[in-house]
Amino acid sequence: MWGGGKLSYSGARFLGVLVPGWRSSQTKCPGLTSLAVYSKNQLNWSLEIKPGVFNEYRTMWFKSYRTAFSCLNRMKSYRSPWTRLYSTSQNTVDSNEVKTFLALAHKWWDEQGVYAPLHSMNDLRVPFIRDNLLKTVANHQPGKPLSGMKILDVGCGGGLLTEPLGRLGASVVGIDPVDENIKTAQCHKSFDPVLDQRIEYRACSLEEIVEDTAETFDAVVASEVVEHVLDLETFLQCCCQVLKPGGSLFITTINKTQLSYALGIVFSEQIAGIVPKGTHTWEKFVSPEKLESILEPNGLSVQTVAGMLYNPFSGHWHWSENTSLNYAAHAVKSTVQEHTVPAEFVLKEETEELQANAYTSPGMHEELKK
């Protein structure tokens, strides 16, 4: 927020008041009030007659300068992790990705087609979500263990993961920016009257529903999604916003390694054709460390990171200690909310502290009395 150039320029403006002949001596810096009571001429006179006083005044001015910017930094640190951090003008949806998935919208439920690996991934990701959510409840209904829970499936596509979560008893909202994906998902769930009641689909992006669904969901699922978004930080901030305190975020994605480039793009897309060409962009892959570095400041504590490996010959997934390719992560939103301190109180506190230090300093007090 505060660029180095701006700080240096502001520092020069402060020096301009202290040193006669400085080119910026006539300008003033709004918002930063000096505690010195001398006028410019009196201060210059003091510096000329008593050169030793310069060091005290320089220390005082730069202390004020430094404290003011320290205050501004502290004001930012008081912001609670789930305060609205994003701009409504920001959009995490990549239009190029939309075009890619639009062309494949009719193939979601072909278990032998391009989405076969995602169908098979349900063998791992559904139990992963279910078991971690059950740790947060004391009792559950047999056959409907997730009954009473509200889950948001972000980037739901044709509903491949949404439907199994609905069958476990959860109330699921599936969202996707590709309208054709939502039409496919709605058509498929309409064949099951039970799912038709438990699942709701919306053609929209995550940031479009944040304000209306703040702290609404017990869990947010973003499976094979984060490697396709345009702005990862904003996307994860929005995920945190819609979670209840104590809610869970589940992510499956691809690590950003040389191995993931060789197997995930070169082999899978260009050689074997397991997934269509252009489905993935290696630069958008995210490592577990990078993911955690974004989640932690937003009030989400990573609980589990587990590696996932796909066997293209058997068509099955299995868990692995190796996270260099695919991995699943589970994070929990903090239940302790920090109190936001109004900026004016922070500034007032810093100013009063500076005044107290200035007027209780023996050397400065004597100079001010003269």
Side-chain angles (χ1 to χ4, degrees):
M1 180 178 178
W2 302 102
K6 291 184 179 180
L7 290 179
S8 299
Y9 179 65
S10 300
R13 297 172 73 175
F14 275 100
L15 273 176
V17 181
L18 296 177
V19 183
W22 191 271
R23 197 168 72 178
S24 303
S25 62
Q26 299 301 321
T27 61
K28 296 181 180 180
C29 187
L32 299 178
T33 307
S34 167
L35 299 177
V37 296
Y38 286 100
S39 67
K40 178 175 180 293
N41 292 334
Q42 289 173 317
L43 184 58
N44 288 343
W45 176 84
S46 298
L47 296 178
E48 291 171 0
I49 303 301
K50 302 178 180 181
V53 178
F54 176 76
N55 287 333
E56 293 186 18
Y57 280 104
R58 181 178 60 185
T59 301
M60 178 181 176
W61 278 88
F62 276 94
K63 183 177 180 182
S64 173
Y65 168 84
R66 184 172 57 252
T67 304
F69 281 98
S70 172
C71 165
L72 292 173
N73 287 331
R74 282 184 57 186
M75 284 159 55
K76 292 194 295 182
S77 69
Y78 280 107
R79 182 180 59 200
S80 61
W82 35 83
T83 302
R84 185 176 178 183
L85 303 177
Y86 62 93
S87 167
T88 54
S89 63
Q90 287 180 297
N91 190 355
T92 62
V93 178
D94 189 328
S95 59
N96 292 326
E97 300 277 1
V98 169
K99 293 177 182 177
T100 299
F101 288 100
L102 180 60
L104 303 172
H106 62 290
K107 297 184 178 182
W108 280 103
W109 289 98
D110 180 2
E111 296 187 16
Q112 305 302 319
V114 295
Y115 289 120
L118 292 183
H119 283 272
S120 178
M121 187 184 286
N122 279 354
D123 294 340
L124 296 188
R125 57 184 178 176
V126 173
F128 181 74
I129 296 168
R130 178 200 62 201
D131 295 346
N132 280 288
L133 286 179
L134 289 181
K135 294 176 183 177
T136 64
V137 295
N139 300 302
H140 61 270
Q141 298 182 31
K144 295 191 295 184
L146 301 185
S147 179
M149 292 190 178
K150 193 167 185 179
I151 300 175
L152 176 66
D153 185 8
V154 185
C156 63
L160 270 59
L161 180 56
T162 317
E163 289 195 8
L165 295 176
R167 290 192 182 94
L168 291 174
S171 173
V172 190
V173 177
I175 63 172
D176 197 285
V178 182
D179 187 61
E180 292 301 317
N181 286 348
I182 294 299
K183 289 179 180 178
T184 299
Q186 287 175 331
C187 178
H188 196 271
K189 73 148 182 172
S190 66
F191 294 105
D192 188 330
V194 175
L195 290 181
D196 211 24
Q197 296 296 319
R198 295 179 186 170
I199 295 176
E200 175 189 355
Y201 288 116
R202 301 182 192 176
C204 64
S205 63
L206 175 58
E207 54 270 25
E208 289 180 77
I209 66 167
V210 168
E211 291 187 9
D212 296 332
T213 60
E215 297 189 351
T216 296
F217 298 97
D218 298 289
V220 174
V221 178
S223 184
E224 307 305 296
V225 172
V226 299
E227 68 270 24
H228 299 290
V229 300
L230 196 60
D231 184 340
L232 179 60
E233 290 196 24
T234 298
F235 178 83
L236 294 176
Q237 287 165 4
C238 291
C239 288
C240 181
Q241 296 268 331
V242 299
L243 270 177
K244 294 178 181 178
S248 292
L249 172 64
F250 297 96
I251 291 174
T252 67
T253 188
I254 309 174
N255 200 345
K256 190 176 183 179
T257 61
Q258 292 181 346
L259 186 60
S260 70
Y261 178 78
L263 295 182
I265 294 181
V266 176
F267 176 76
S268 297
E269 293 187 17
Q270 301 175 8
I271 298 177
I274 298 173
V275 293
K277 290 183 179 180
T279 300
H280 296 111
T281 303
W282 186 79
E283 287 75 17
K284 289 185 177 181
F285 291 177
V286 56
S287 67
E289 295 78 16
K290 175 65 174 178
L291 190 67
E292 186 171 3
S293 72
I294 300 174
L295 294 177
E296 291 285 352
N298 285 284
L300 285 159
S301 175
V302 176
Q303 305 294 308
T304 305
V305 175
M308 304 167 66
L309 290 179
Y310 178 70
N311 185 333
F313 302 104
S314 66
H316 294 293
W317 291 84
H318 63 271
W319 293 113
S320 170
E321 294 182 358
N322 189 340
T323 61
S324 59
L325 288 173
N326 295 70
Y327 65 92
H330 171 222
V332 175
K333 182 176 178 177
S334 173
T335 57
V336 180
Q337 297 191 15
E338 298 177 12
H339 295 288
T340 303
V341 179
E344 56 269 23
F345 292 131
V346 181
L347 187 58
K348 181 179 179 182
E349 178 186 348
E350 293 287 352
T351 304
E352 289 176 351
E353 181 182 350
L354 182 60
Q355 287 176 336
N357 292 337
Y359 283 100
T360 55
S361 174
M364 183 60 65
H365 187 66
E366 290 299 322
E367 290 298 328
L368 292 176
K369 285 203 305 184
K370 294 178 184 180

